[in-house]
Amino acid sequence: MIFATTTPFVTSPVLIFFIVLVIILLSPVVLNKFKIPHIIGLIVAGVAIGPHGLNILARDMSFELFGQVGILYIMFLAGIEIDMYHLRRNLKRGLVFGLLTFLFPMMVGTLASVYILHLNWVTSILLASMYASHTLISYPIVARFGLTKNPAVLIAVVGTIIAVIGALLVLAGAVNVHRTGEFAWSDLLRLLLELTIYCIVILYTYPRITRWFFKHYSDNVTQYIFVMAMVFLASWFAQIIELEAVLGAFFAGLVLNRYVPNASPLMNRIEFVGNALFIPYFLIGVGMMIDVKVISNVNTLYVATNMIIVAIIGKWIAAWIAQKIYGMRGVARRMMFGLTTAHTAVALAVVTIGYNMIMPDGSRMMDETILNGTVLMILITCAIAPIATARAASRMRIDMLTNEGAEVEDTKRETRILIPVANPITVQSLTELALLLRNPRQKNDIYAIHVRNDNSAASRAIGQNALDIAVKSASSVDVEITPIERYDINTVAGLLNAIEERDITDVIIGMHRKSTVIDSFFGTKIEQLLKATNQMVVMTRCFIPINTITRIVVAVPPMAQFETGFSHWVKAIGNLTREIGCRVIFCCHPDTQPLIKGIFHRGRYDIRHEYRDVERWEDFVLLANRILDDDLFVLVSARESSVSHNDDMADAPGFLQKYFSRNNLIVLYPEQFGQAEPINTFVDPMSSDIHSVPSPIWFKLHGLYRKLIQIKKNAFNRKDHKKIDL
C-alpha cells in the first residue's frame, strides 16, 4: 500500500514546517559536495521521514496541498520561462517528439504487459498510458543552468504536453471501455472539443484581463497574487473538462509569458517562491509515497523490474529517434531523455484509477503488486531523471559559454548607465527600462543620481526617497544600483560632472512634461544635456507598463549606420525586445537594414525583427496613424553635428507633440565621437567598413542611382508610397 496508518512521531504544525525547511536547506548543501542533484536529496529525505521510513511525519493534507501546488508550479514555470521565439522555431519538432515519446512507450508497454505480465488488453493499454506520460521533475535543473531556450529543452517541454494529453485520452478511453464494454468515439471527440474550446477561451480572455490589470495595478505583490490566481483558475477549468490540472498550469504560463519579462521583479518573485517552498514540498511529498519495503517481495520485484525497463527504454528510444531525425548531438538526446523519463503525477493517477476498478469476477484491474511496482518505478525514474538532466545540462552549459566566448563585441565593452531621478513616482519605471535595455551577458554598472542645488530638508528627503526606490527596484531582480546624491550649481552641471567622473556610456532620463505653453517639448535641461555630452541619451515617456507593450516601432533616420553609437543602440533595442518578448519593426533606409540584421545575427538575439523601407525623413509623419496605444514608438534622432542629422529634425519636437502626444515614446540620441565598434553586414561580414563616412557626392550619386532603379522596376508609385503598412 502507498500510505501507512500508524501515528507519526511529530504532529505539531510548527515542528513539521521546521523539519521541512531544514530538509530544503541541507539537501543542496550536502549533496552539492558529492555532485548529486539536490532534487534526489529531497525525494530521499521524503522516503526517510515518511510513513514508510522512520515515520517522523505523516503525509497529511499539508503535503497534499503543497504537493499539488508544487507540481502545478513546475509546469507553470516551464510555460512562463519559455522563450516564445525559440518555441515557435521548435514547435514542429516538439510535436513530432511528443508523438514519439507517447507512441513508443505505449506500444512497448502494451506488448510487455500482455505477453510478459499476462494482463488483458484493456489493463495493458491503461498501464501503457502510465509509461507514455511523464513529469518535468528535473526542469528546475535546466532553469538553474540557464538552458530554458535550448532547442532540446523546448522540444522536451512541448513533447511533455503532447504525451500527457495523449495519456489522458487513452485513460479516458480505457475507463469508458471498462464501464460500457465498448469504445465510444463520441466521448473522445467530446473531450477534444472541450479542449479546443478551453484553449480558445484562455487565449482570448487571459491576455486582455492581464493587460488591463497590469496597467491599473503596478504593485509587484498584487501582480504576483493576480498571476497565481490566473494559473490556478486555468488549472481548475482544466479539471472541469476532465483533463489534468498540470495542462492548465502550463497553458496559463504560455499565455502569461508575454507579460512577465525575465528581468522583471515579478519573475524574480515567481521563481523565488516556487523554488524555495512549493517545488521542494512537492518533491518531499513524492518521496513520502515511496515504500522501499516492496523490494522484499519477489513477485513485486519482478513486476517492478519489468515496468522500470519498459518505462526507461520507451523514453530513450523516442529521444534517440528524435535526435537522429533532426541531426542533433548526443547531449541533446540525453537532455530530452532526462526531462521525459520521470513518472509521478499521471502515473499515480493511472494506477489509482486501475486499483479502484473492480472487474466482473470481483478482482481489481490493477492489484497491489502493480501498485507497489508503480511506486518503485517512480523511485527509480525520479532518481535517474535528475542525474541524466544535470549531466547533460552541465555539458550544454560549457558548450554555450564556449560559443558565447566568440562573441567578442558583446562582452568587450563595459556599459555604465546613469539614471537621473527627481520624481519618486517615475523612478521605478525608469529603473525597469534601464534593466531591460542592458545586456545581461556583459558587465553593467548602473548608477541612480539625484542632483539638488539647495540644502533644504525637503529637497534631501525627496532625493533620498527617489534613490531608495531605484535601489529597491533593482535589488528585486538581484541587480545592484549605486545611488549618488549630489549638490551642484544646477541639474545639468551635476549630471555632466557625474558622467565624466563615472565614465558613463548611457543616460536614461524621463521626458519633460510641459507645464506652460512656452516650455519646449524636451525641456531646457535635456536640451542643454544633449549639447554638452556625446553619450547615448534615452528619453522615455510611457503611459502603460513596459511589459504590456505589444510592438516596438523604431524610426531610424537615413545614414544612421555611420554614427559611432549605431551598434550600441541597436543592441539596446534588441535587449529590450528580447526581454519583453514582443516584435520590433524598423522603419529605415534599405541600406541600414542589413547592418541591423548583422548585429542581431552575430549577437544571437533571436528576436522577431521586421523592416519597412523609409528613405526620407519626412515619410515618418505617415507613421502617426499606424502607432497603436499599446505600441512603443522609438525615434532615433541625431545631434546637429552628427552625420545622420538633417534640417527636418529640428521639427521633430513639434511633430512628436502633435502626432504622438498620447503614445508611449522613446527618443534616443546615439553616442557620438566615441569608440566605434565594428559593424558588419548580415550577408557578407567582411564587406563593410563604416568607420569612414562617404562623401556627400557619393550619397547624391547613390541616391540618384536608386531612384533610377525604382523607376525602372516600378517598385513604388505615388499612390502606394503614401502608406507605410505596419
Side-chain angles (χ1 to χ4, degrees):
M1 296 293 292
I2 293 181
F3 303 108
T5 57
T6 56
T7 304
F9 181 74
V10 176
T11 57
S12 170
V14 176
L15 190 55
I16 290 174
F17 200 75
F18 169 74
I19 293 174
V20 172
L21 292 179
V22 170
I23 293 173
I24 297 174
L25 174 65
L26 295 182
S27 290
V29 174
V30 175
L31 294 180
N32 282 343
K33 296 181 178 180
F34 301 97
K35 297 183 179 180
I36 299 176
H38 72 274
I39 290 179
I40 297 178
L42 295 173
I43 297 175
V44 173
V47 175
I49 66 172
H52 301 294
L54 301 176
N55 198 26
I56 298 176
L57 303 180
R59 196 176 189 279
D60 54 13
M61 286 303 298
S62 65
F63 284 95
E64 291 282 351
L65 175 62
F66 281 86
Q68 182 66 26
V69 174
I71 184 61
L72 295 181
Y73 224 106
I74 290 177
M75 297 304 297
F76 169 63
L77 285 177
I80 203 168
E81 290 181 345
I82 283 181
D83 186 275
M84 299 305 293
Y85 176 85
H86 290 83
L87 178 63
R88 294 186 187 97
R89 293 181 59 183
N90 295 279
L91 183 59
K92 184 177 179 180
R93 294 193 290 179
L95 294 175
V96 173
F97 175 68
L99 293 176
L100 292 173
T101 197
F102 167 73
L103 293 177
F104 274 95
M106 277 293 302
M107 292 187 295
V108 176
T110 301
L111 295 177
S113 299
V114 171
Y115 295 106
I116 297 179
L117 300 181
H118 305 292
L119 302 176
N120 61 65
W121 282 97
V122 176
T123 304
S124 299
I125 293 175
L126 183 61
L127 188 61
S129 67
M130 179 179 64
Y131 302 138
S133 65
H134 57 265
T135 304
L136 292 174
I137 194 174
S138 54
Y139 185 82
I141 297 176
V142 174
R144 190 172 295 109
F145 276 91
L147 298 172
T148 55
K149 298 179 182 179
N150 186 274
V153 175
L154 295 170
I155 291 172
V157 171
V158 176
T160 298
I161 301 305
I162 301 302
V164 172
I165 292 177
L168 294 176
L169 293 176
V170 172
L171 175 61
V175 172
N176 184 70
V177 170
H178 174 73
R179 291 176 179 174
T180 62
E182 61 180 1
F183 179 75
W185 283 101
S186 58
D187 292 340
L188 183 61
L189 294 176
R190 176 186 57 82
L191 187 60
L192 291 175
L193 179 62
E194 291 177 348
L195 177 62
T196 303
I197 296 175
Y198 170 82
C199 293
I200 293 175
V201 171
I202 297 296
L203 282 173
Y204 181 80
T205 59
Y206 267 44
R208 289 163 175 78
I209 296 174
T210 303
R211 189 179 292 114
W212 176 87
F213 190 89
F214 282 5
K215 287 180 181 179
H216 291 81
Y217 301 95
S218 59
D219 179 67
N220 289 321
V221 176
T222 305
Q223 290 184 351
Y224 172 80
I225 299 299
F226 168 79
V227 168
M228 297 312 302
M230 299 295 281
V231 171
F232 283 93
L233 180 62
S235 303
W236 179 64
F237 278 136
Q239 289 182 325
I240 289 180
I241 62 174
E242 301 178 359
L243 290 176
E244 279 293 315
V246 292
L247 294 176
F250 177 79
F251 195 61
L254 286 180
V255 176
L256 297 176
N257 179 292
R258 169 69 182 74
Y259 305 99
V260 186
N262 290 329
S264 65
L266 179 57
M267 176 63 83
N268 186 270
R269 285 172 171 81
I270 291 174
E271 292 180 337
F272 173 79
V273 175
N275 293 324
L277 186 61
F278 291 123
I279 295 177
Y281 237 107
F282 162 71
L283 297 172
I284 295 173
V286 170
M288 297 177 72
M289 294 186 299
I290 297 174
D291 185 3
V292 294
K293 297 178 182 178
V294 299
I295 302 177
S296 59
N297 189 307
V298 178
N299 190 31
T300 300
L301 186 60
Y302 172 77
V303 173
T305 303
N306 179 274
M307 297 174 68
I308 293 170
I309 293 175
V310 170
I312 294 176
I313 289 179
K315 295 298 182 181
W316 189 90
I317 291 176
W320 179 78
I321 293 177
Q323 176 218 345
K324 295 301 180 183
I325 290 176
Y326 297 113
M328 305 175 74
R329 300 172 57 199
V331 67
R333 180 190 67 246
R334 296 194 296 270
M335 173 61 75
M336 292 186 289
F337 169 73
L339 286 173
T340 60
T341 195
H343 297 74
T344 54
V346 180
L348 288 174
V350 170
V351 75
T352 302
I353 291 174
Y355 183 78
N356 293 328
M357 285 185 179
I358 307 299
M359 305 294 287
D361 59 357
S363 63
R364 298 181 182 274
M365 177 178 282
M366 295 183 182
D367 56 16
E368 291 188 0
T369 303
I370 297 178
L371 184 65
N372 291 328
T374 302
V375 173
L376 189 57
M377 182 193 70
I378 291 174
L379 172 63
I380 299 301
T381 56
C382 287
I384 292 176
I387 295 176
T389 304
R391 290 181 177 178
S394 62
R395 181 69 262 173
M396 284 184 172
R397 184 62 182 173
I398 293 174
D399 294 342
M400 185 176 71
L401 293 176
T402 302
N403 293 333
E404 287 183 355
E407 300 172 22
V408 181
E409 71 275 8
D410 279 343
T411 57
K412 72 176 184 179
R413 179 179 182 179
E414 179 180 349
T415 302
R416 295 174 175 267
I417 302 175
L418 182 67
I419 311 173
V421 296
N423 187 354
I425 298 177
T426 60
V427 170
Q428 183 173 349
S429 61
L430 285 175
T431 305
E432 291 178 355
L433 179 62
L435 296 175
L436 295 176
L437 287 173
R438 71 188 181 98
N439 190 341
R441 293 183 295 183
Q442 70 180 39
K443 183 178 180 181
N444 299 270
D445 291 336
I446 304 179
Y447 303 88
I449 183 172
H450 176 74
V451 181
R452 54 185 175 82
N453 53 13
D454 66 84
N455 284 322
S456 64
S459 178
R460 288 177 175 272
I462 293 175
Q464 189 60 46
N465 185 25
L467 293 174
D468 290 342
I469 294 175
V471 173
K472 183 178 179 181
S473 299
S475 62
S476 62
V477 291
D478 297 329
V479 176
E480 183 179 355
I481 279 187
T482 303
I484 303 174
E485 186 178 12
R486 188 182 188 92
Y487 177 87
D488 219 311
I489 300 175
N490 54 56
T491 303
V492 176
L495 293 179
L496 292 175
N497 291 330
I499 290 173
E500 293 298 327
E501 293 170 358
R502 306 283 179 167
D503 195 18
I504 298 298
T505 60
D506 306 344
V507 180
I508 301 176
I509 191 169
M511 191 172 294
H512 172 71
R513 305 295 177 94
K514 295 181 66 174
S515 57
T516 66
V517 294
I518 62 174
D519 285 337
S520 64
F521 181 75
F522 293 143
T524 55
K525 295 179 180 179
I526 294 182
E527 292 179 349
Q528 294 174 9
L529 180 66
L530 290 172
K531 293 178 181 179
T533 182
N534 294 319
Q535 276 68 24
M536 185 175 81
V537 178
V538 179
M539 294 173 285
T540 175
R541 182 198 65 196
C542 289
F543 297 101
I544 63 175
I546 194 69
N547 59 318
T548 61
I549 296 295
T550 56
R551 299 184 308 176
I552 300 177
V553 181
V554 185
V556 185
M559 295 188 290
Q561 68 270 28
F562 298 109
E563 297 291 351
T564 305
F566 175 76
S567 177
H568 185 56
W569 73 256
V570 171
K571 292 176 183 178
I573 297 298
N575 295 329
L576 179 63
T577 305
R578 180 167 52 187
E579 291 296 336
I580 297 178
C582 62
R583 61 175 173 145
V584 58
I585 303 174
F586 289 93
C587 301
C588 57
H589 195 279
D591 291 343
T592 310
Q593 297 174 13
L595 296 171
I596 298 177
K597 294 177 183 178
I599 293 172
F600 288 156
H601 175 71
R602 295 192 65 188
R604 299 184 180 182
Y605 281 85
D606 292 334
I607 58 177
R608 297 174 59 194
H609 48 104
E610 304 172 6
Y611 300 87
R612 305 291 185 269
D613 291 345
V614 177
E615 299 194 11
R616 298 178 300 175
W617 176 259
E618 56 267 24
D619 291 338
F620 289 127
V621 72
L622 303 176
L623 294 172
N625 59 350
R626 299 290 173 180
I627 306 300
L628 306 178
D629 292 339
D630 292 330
D631 292 342
L632 174 62
F633 181 58
V634 180
L635 177 65
V636 180
S637 189
R639 296 174 173 86
E640 292 184 1
S641 57
S642 62
V643 178
S644 59
H645 182 271
N646 58 69
D647 296 336
D648 294 326
M649 287 185 179
D651 300 328
F655 161 69
L656 295 174
Q657 179 64 29
K658 182 177 181 180
Y659 297 104
F660 296 92
S661 60
R662 301 302 303 170
N663 291 102
N664 308 299
L665 181 65
I666 286 180
V667 179
L668 188 149
Y669 282 82
E671 177 187 4
Q672 187 180 4
F673 306 135
Q675 182 179 0
E677 300 182 29
I679 307 174
N680 301 315
T681 65
F682 180 79
V683 179
D684 184 3
M686 302 299 294
S687 65
S688 168
D689 178 14
I690 69 165
H691 295 165
S692 58
V693 181
S695 65
I697 299 177
W698 183 90
F699 284 115
K700 292 181 180 179
L701 294 176
H702 184 66
L704 179 61
Y705 170 76
R706 291 193 59 88
K707 289 181 180 180
L708 293 175
I709 293 297
Q710 289 176 358
I711 295 174
K712 182 179 179 181
K713 295 183 177 181
N714 293 323
F716 296 98
N717 53 43
R718 289 186 174 273
K719 182 177 180 180
D720 294 334
H721 196 60
K722 292 182 179 179
K723 179 180 178 181
I724 301 177
D725 187 10
L726 295 180

